[in-house]
Amino acid sequence: MSYTELKREVFEANMELNRRNLVVYTWGNVSQIDRTKGVIAIKPSGVAYEVMTPDDIVIVDLENQIVEGKMRPSSDTKTHTHLYRHFESIGGVTHTHSTYATAWAQTQQAIPCYGTTHADYAYGEIPCTAVMTDEQIERDYEEETGVQITDCFKTRSPKEVPMVIVAGHAPFTWGKNAADAVYHAVILEEIARMAYLTKTLQQQTAPLKQGIVDKHYLRKHGKNAYYGQK
Ligand SMILES: [Zn+2]
């Protein structure tokens, strides 16, 4: 894929984030990787969606050096590149401060899998990272945000759970490309909203039983999936 095409796809994905009302002002960013070229395209830092053009998208390598672009890349770039380096199956990353997912992040609680809507997209709870230590904050805040996330996935697969909430901060999601990462950001916000309502109605609601989680997740994903059209 040429840089022009990559920038166009990332531009469209960033605009979709805005259209879906997941961002306020400039709070949010989407990127996509070209693994053969070893570069990502990412939203420029602090540029309003209303005035952004595909040409403003910045091309950066996996060591965070600008390869092409006249703007500074998103201040969260190091978190994105960390995720691409550690999650080899992913092609796109999205970060938002969408309201309900961020509220869960602020309570520093994982989002339990309460129902099949959740189980259709994520296999088990949506993890919440640990709170960052003072040493990490001083070392390299954005890179360490990535470390916080990948630490949550030592015991789970980023493919089975394509989303996370960062304690005290907000969500990150990923997918096979930028558009898929945005799709998961939209789904996560809806899952977070339903979970909030569920827990509000009944504080002690139990997570969905494992047999139903398995049924719903595995009928859409995995080798014996049968949901949707062939
Ligand atoms: Zn943020």
Side-chain angles (χ1 to χ4, degrees):
M1 188 181 288
S2 70
Y3 288 169
T4 308
E5 284 172 273
L6 187 61
K7 287 198 260 187
R8 163 64 65 178
E9 289 195 9
V10 167
F11 170 77
E12 292 297 344
N14 275 285
M15 296 311 276
E16 174 70 0
L17 203 59
N18 191 38
R19 273 195 296 275
R20 297 280 177 179
N21 292 321
L22 290 193
V23 289
V24 172
Y25 293 114
T26 61
W27 308 349
N29 41 71
V30 185
S31 68
Q32 181 168 304
I33 191 166
D34 181 332
R35 289 197 183 267
T36 53
K37 291 196 169 79
V39 298
I40 71 164
I42 191 163
K43 183 179 176 288
S45 182
V47 175
Y49 289 90
E50 294 74 26
V51 299
M52 191 170 56
T53 69
D55 206 36
D56 295 332
I57 303 295
V58 188
I59 304 280
V60 176
D61 68 20
L62 290 180
E63 279 71 50
N64 307 299
Q65 300 302 310
I66 296 176
V67 174
E68 187 180 289
K70 46 192 187 312
M71 303 257 188
R72 282 198 354 224
S74 162
S75 52
D76 296 312
T77 297
K78 285 182 174 176
T79 311
H80 288 243
T81 52
H82 181 91
L83 294 178
Y84 288 118
R85 288 197 308 268
H86 288 79
F87 295 163
E88 284 166 10
S89 63
I90 69 172
V93 172
T94 294
H95 174 50
T96 78
H97 286 214
S98 65
T99 309
Y100 286 87
T102 300
W104 280 92
Q106 290 179 172
T107 66
Q108 302 173 14
Q109 299 175 76
I111 305 176
C113 182
Y114 285 131
T116 64
T117 322
H118 178 135
D120 280 338
Y121 295 95
Y123 192 46
E125 69 177 20
I126 314 292
C128 180
T129 69
V131 179
M132 208 182 280
T133 64
D134 291 346
E135 294 73 39
Q136 284 181 297
I137 296 166
E138 280 172 30
R139 193 154 52 218
D140 189 337
Y141 180 72
E142 290 78 16
E143 176 74 32
E144 294 295 334
T145 300
V147 173
Q148 296 291 87
I149 295 171
T150 49
D151 279 353
C152 281
F153 285 81
K154 286 181 172 157
T155 54
R156 47 170 78 80
S157 150
K159 236 178 162 161
E160 291 180 347
V161 183
M163 46 190 74
V164 70
I165 51 178
V166 177
H169 185 177
F172 280 82
T173 61
W174 45 85
K176 61 181 189 286
N177 52 32
D180 198 38
V182 169
Y183 175 73
H184 286 143
V186 176
I187 302 283
L188 171 58
E189 180 60 5
E190 199 56 27
I191 288 173
R193 191 163 76 96
M194 288 178 185
Y196 162 76
L197 291 168
T198 303
K199 198 167 178 178
T200 302
L201 286 168
Q202 188 180 286
Q203 190 79 23
Q204 304 308 331
T205 302
L208 186 63
K209 64 185 278 189
Q210 193 60 40
I212 303 178
V213 174
D214 287 350
K215 184 71 197 164
H216 270 263
Y217 185 79
L218 298 171
R219 71 178 189 166
K220 282 189 82 158
H221 310 270
K223 63 179 184 344
N224 297 319
Y226 60 86
Y227 174 88
Q229 304 305 315
K230 282 262 185 224

